[in-house]
Amino acid sequence: MVPSDDGGPRSRGDQDGAARRRRRTRLLQRYVLNPPVRLATRCGWVPGHVLVETVGRTTGRPRRTVVGAELEGDTVWIVAEQGPYAGYVRNLVTEPRVRLCLDGCWYDGVARLAPEVDPERLLARWDRPVHAAGVRRFGTALRVVRVDLEAHPTGRAPGARHGGRLRRWWYRGRRPHWTARLLNRLSAAQFAAGVLSPARAVTLEVRGRRSGRTVSLPVVVADHDGQRYLVAMLGERAQWVQNVRAAGGRAVLRRRGREEVRLEEIEPGERGPVLRRYLALAPGARAHVPVDRRAPLEEFERIAPSFPVFRVVPVPPEER
């Protein structure tokens, strides 16, 4: 028996198995996942992920890695799947000063390992089951990394929507630009398949009120008080809102399967808490809603009449 990373005994076979898993994961991430995800993260298109830039401990050159993370104030928390075996972790131990790309904007910070924080409790606190399952599946030595951010040169607060102007341009006049339509088609296919997307990301299918054809678009389902809701981030002018009303609320949600639902529009007085929960779950919507996600509930109640909210009700088999 040999000691494990946390001091407990571990057999030589267990260590060899963990080493093989690390090699396979490293190859998969380096040559398959990281290139496209790194570009998408750099543009701020991957919620819950950041690009961390460390200084290579042997080369002295910048090394950029995509990692799952959570921003709390001026602190970014990262759960490193391979812990001390990860290259970026070894780099930041040698040189703690790092740079992080959040929503397309770079921030300087100081990183350190945080052994006092339990990685499992941190993953549970994030409430992102798909990400947590991936970390547990591929991880061999989970460790928590804490990054304390410094002020941005422009004075922009960490987590501010650097890409907000671009996102608003994509939806000029509350209608999607061709770029937004293309990205929506790609996201709709991705969400329906349940691939590399948050657990609450689904594809909504509803009958077009003019064309009669099925229209698909990506949406985020917000949960509140045991119910599920859909929110129109573009407000009353969102085309899917008009289609849902014309269809009497009948629609289909897809994510690794098909669920027939009825969407029931709720009154403006009930929308405030749902809107706040929605902004916490949907970073891409924050550029279109004129309230900060951490604002008091009264602020959400003030804008509620402008943003339709629908309760998701499953259709029983006898009514399908």
Side-chain angles (χ1 to χ4, degrees):
M1 304 291 286
V2 294
S4 65
D5 297 322
D6 56 6
R10 176 182 292 178
S11 69
R12 179 66 65 182
D14 290 341
Q15 283 198 333
D16 291 342
R20 286 193 295 271
R21 287 172 60 192
R22 284 193 293 271
R23 285 195 295 270
R24 290 195 297 267
T25 302
R26 186 160 49 244
L27 290 174
L28 175 66
Q29 292 175 337
R30 179 178 296 178
Y31 298 109
V32 179
L33 300 178
N34 275 355
V37 176
R38 186 184 296 119
L39 175 61
T41 305
R42 175 67 181 85
C43 297
W45 296 342
V46 186
H49 288 72
V50 301
L51 199 60
V52 56
E53 182 181 280
T54 59
V55 177
R57 60 195 178 282
T58 56
T59 65
R61 293 182 296 184
R63 298 296 186 188
R64 293 181 177 179
T65 308
V66 177
V67 296
E70 186 77 3
L71 175 66
E72 295 181 355
D74 294 335
T75 301
V76 174
W77 297 97
I78 300 168
V79 176
E81 300 172 359
Q82 312 306 334
Y85 301 101
Y88 77 93
V89 173
R90 286 183 284 177
N91 289 344
L92 65 86
V93 168
T94 303
E95 173 49 72
R97 297 197 62 82
V98 300
R99 292 206 310 156
L100 260 67
C101 184
L102 297 167
D103 296 324
C105 189
W106 287 99
Y107 295 86
D108 294 323
V110 177
R112 67 173 179 87
L113 286 170
E116 71 278 6
V117 181
D118 181 4
E120 288 291 346
R121 293 186 63 181
L122 190 61
L123 288 172
R125 191 172 74 198
W126 291 356
D127 192 24
R128 285 151 49 188
V130 174
H131 174 71
V135 170
R136 296 187 185 102
R137 172 66 180 83
F138 295 103
T140 60
L142 304 188
R143 297 292 187 275
V144 175
V145 176
R146 171 176 178 156
V147 184
D148 295 308
L149 300 179
E150 300 175 353
H152 188 270
T154 63
R156 182 182 293 113
R161 299 306 296 173
H162 174 69
R165 183 176 299 178
L166 176 62
R167 286 180 170 83
R168 286 189 290 273
W169 181 78
W170 283 346
Y171 291 92
R172 288 173 298 177
R174 298 286 174 171
R175 297 180 66 86
H177 183 264
W178 71 266
T179 308
R181 289 198 296 271
L182 174 60
L183 292 174
N184 282 345
R185 291 194 186 99
L186 295 175
S187 296
Q190 180 183 3
F191 292 179
V195 177
L196 296 176
S197 58
R200 294 181 179 84
V202 303
T203 295
L204 170 67
E205 294 182 350
V206 62
R207 183 183 179 89
R209 64 190 185 282
R210 295 194 182 98
S211 67
R213 295 178 298 187
T214 299
V215 180
S216 302
L217 69 153
V219 295
V220 172
V221 177
D223 59 311
H224 178 68
D225 282 347
Q227 300 287 335
R228 295 179 296 166
Y229 298 88
L230 297 185
V231 177
M233 71 176 188
L234 299 181
E236 288 286 345
R237 296 189 63 180
Q239 292 299 305
W240 71 264
V241 170
Q242 307 302 324
N243 290 338
V244 165
R245 289 169 176 167
R250 298 299 294 263
V252 171
L253 298 182
R254 288 189 179 272
R255 183 176 177 84
R256 299 177 183 171
R258 184 176 188 275
E259 180 187 13
E260 292 191 27
V261 299
R262 183 172 63 254
L263 301 181
E264 299 178 347
E265 190 166 0
I266 65 176
E267 295 298 323
E270 304 175 55
R271 297 175 185 175
V274 180
L275 286 172
R276 184 164 64 177
R277 175 62 173 162
Y278 173 70
L279 282 196
L281 298 172
R286 295 169 192 166
H288 307 285
V289 181
V291 171
D292 184 82
R293 64 189 177 98
R294 301 182 183 89
L297 182 59
E298 292 76 14
E299 292 295 311
F300 289 94
E301 293 172 342
R302 178 179 57 82
I303 65 167
S306 302
F307 293 90
V309 177
F310 296 84
R311 182 184 295 108
V312 178
V313 179
V315 175
E318 60 271 15
E319 296 183 16
R320 296 175 185 172

